[in-house]
Amino acid sequence: MKKIIAILAAVATVAATLAFAGCTNNEVIDNNEVVEGEVKEGENAEGDAIEGETEKALTVAEGKLTMATNAYFRPYEFYEGDKIVGIDAEIAEAIAAKLGLELVIEDMEFNSIITAVQSGAVDMGVAGMTVTEERLKSVNFSSSYANGVQSIIVKEGSAIATVDDLCAEGASYKVGVQLATTGDTYSTEDFGEENVVRYSNGNEAVLGLAGGDVDCVIIDNEPAKALVAENEGLVILETAYADEDYAICVAKENTELLEKINAAIDELTQDGTIDAIIATYIK
Ligand code: GLN
């Protein structure tokens, strides 16, 4: 099982707390960040302060805040016509506005987001991304802006009625997941490589379930609800598989941007903007 370690980032202390996850209590990092380096006076994430910062290449494209996402993850990011909308898109838009920057969204495979952030192709990843110990080795995470739950989707009448059936000693079910998500890593740990089938997105995983290639799909709860609503004969188990925190990932060296994003998240949490955005999409 994963072991929680206290991770000291350059400017942030990540307080790790345990939540339940998977069959055997995989541990989930609660990314309760305490930013030690205060934003300096006049640099409180408002537009005027940031203009100076963008000159120092705060972001990869001047005047812009470039976000990587995978836009097949309703209601966090999805296409409405050719526009990407959703909870993450709106929160990112609100953060960009606070920073005096124009938001640019780049859609890519979920599996490519961390590399894009690390390599400086984009400024941040906003993709319903769970904070994990493994990912914290590659990128920093902002304060959490939402909670996530890994749910289990099965066909109606499935022999898997609860998470315990799936995790029972001797049980041997094929589990469909989205490649490189926490559903993938936890399932691989719990059920073994040979029992996990990886799809590039939730739609494909659900098609695999409908076609009998897998016995269940483990995926974040809100996308699960959308997938079950769009596909007949599927249900979400009442018992969940894991509890998680979503946050924005930023390159390790860009601590200045991370601080500004955290300051913006803080303000948007306190003034109710983030709750209001979430409430628009999750009833
Ligand atoms: N929350 C999951 C993860 O971070 C899935 C995210 C996603 O598919 N966009 O791995």
Side-chain angles (χ1 to χ4, degrees):
M1 279 302 99
K2 297 183 206 82
K3 206 163 136 261
I4 288 293
I5 47 170
I7 293 162
L8 293 173
V11 293
T13 306
V14 177
T17 57
L18 304 184
F20 81 93
C23 296
T24 41
N25 286 319
N26 285 327
E27 293 139 355
V28 174
I29 293 187
D30 178 4
N31 191 33
N32 251 331
E33 284 189 335
V34 181
V35 176
E36 285 162 359
E38 281 301 312
V39 178
K40 283 186 230 106
E41 191 139 353
E43 289 186 0
N44 61 351
E46 298 301 335
D48 56 344
I50 303 306
E51 269 162 35
E53 294 306 319
T54 49
E55 278 162 30
K56 283 193 274 159
L58 176 73
T59 59
V60 295
E62 204 185 323
K64 297 187 171 151
L65 183 63
T66 310
M67 145 185 169
T69 198
N70 173 245
Y72 297 90
F73 200 66
R74 225 173 245 275
Y76 296 93
E77 37 268 335
F78 57 98
Y79 281 94
E80 225 170 58
D82 53 10
K83 191 168 184 269
I84 296 172
V85 298
I87 293 171
D88 287 342
E90 284 200 29
I91 291 176
E93 189 74 58
I95 292 172
K98 287 244 175 239
L99 270 56
L101 299 168
E102 181 199 336
L103 182 71
V104 176
I105 304 182
E106 288 192 17
D107 185 18
M108 59 185 72
E109 292 288 320
F110 183 75
N111 200 19
S112 305
I113 296 173
I114 287 189
T115 315
V117 169
Q118 271 184 306
S119 68
V122 298
D123 297 307
M124 59 181 190
V126 195
M129 192 177 279
T130 305
V131 181
T132 69
E133 185 189 322
E134 197 54 36
R135 290 174 182 160
L136 277 163
K137 290 179 190 159
S138 313
V139 285
N140 279 339
F141 278 96
S142 70
S143 335
S144 177
Y145 61 86
N147 296 112
V149 171
Q150 292 293 313
S151 285
I152 303 165
I153 308 177
V154 293
K155 278 192 195 169
E156 273 167 13
S158 165
I160 308 167
T162 69
V163 69
D164 292 340
D165 295 334
L166 185 63
C167 297
E169 193 77 45
S172 173
Y173 293 111
K174 294 270 184 242
V175 180
V177 296
Q178 183 184 348
L179 174 71
T181 60
T182 47
D184 180 359
T185 45
Y186 301 158
S187 299
T188 304
E189 200 166 304
D190 282 335
F191 310 114
E193 186 77 38
E194 67 284 7
N195 290 315
V196 176
V197 182
R198 303 185 173 93
Y199 298 90
S200 73
N201 59 52
N203 289 326
E204 287 180 21
V206 156
L207 287 178
L209 176 61
D213 298 332
V214 292
D215 300 299
C216 66
V217 168
I218 295 185
I219 192 164
D220 302 52
N221 192 46
E222 291 303 325
K225 284 197 227 162
L227 289 165
V228 165
E230 287 159 11
N231 294 274
E232 288 205 354
L234 302 180
V235 287
I236 299 172
L237 297 189
E238 273 170 28
T239 44
Y241 180 62
D243 242 353
E244 311 185 309
D245 285 309
Y246 292 165
I248 296 174
C249 68
V250 178
K252 286 256 179 229
E253 56 279 11
N254 205 350
T255 51
E256 196 180 338
L257 179 62
L258 181 69
E259 282 183 25
K260 290 185 191 305
I261 289 173
N262 275 338
I265 290 177
D266 202 34
E267 289 176 26
L268 294 166
T269 303
Q270 300 212 1
D271 72 8
T273 305
I274 290 183
D275 276 350
I277 291 171
I278 293 174
T280 322
Y281 290 92
I282 301 177
K283 307 282 178 202

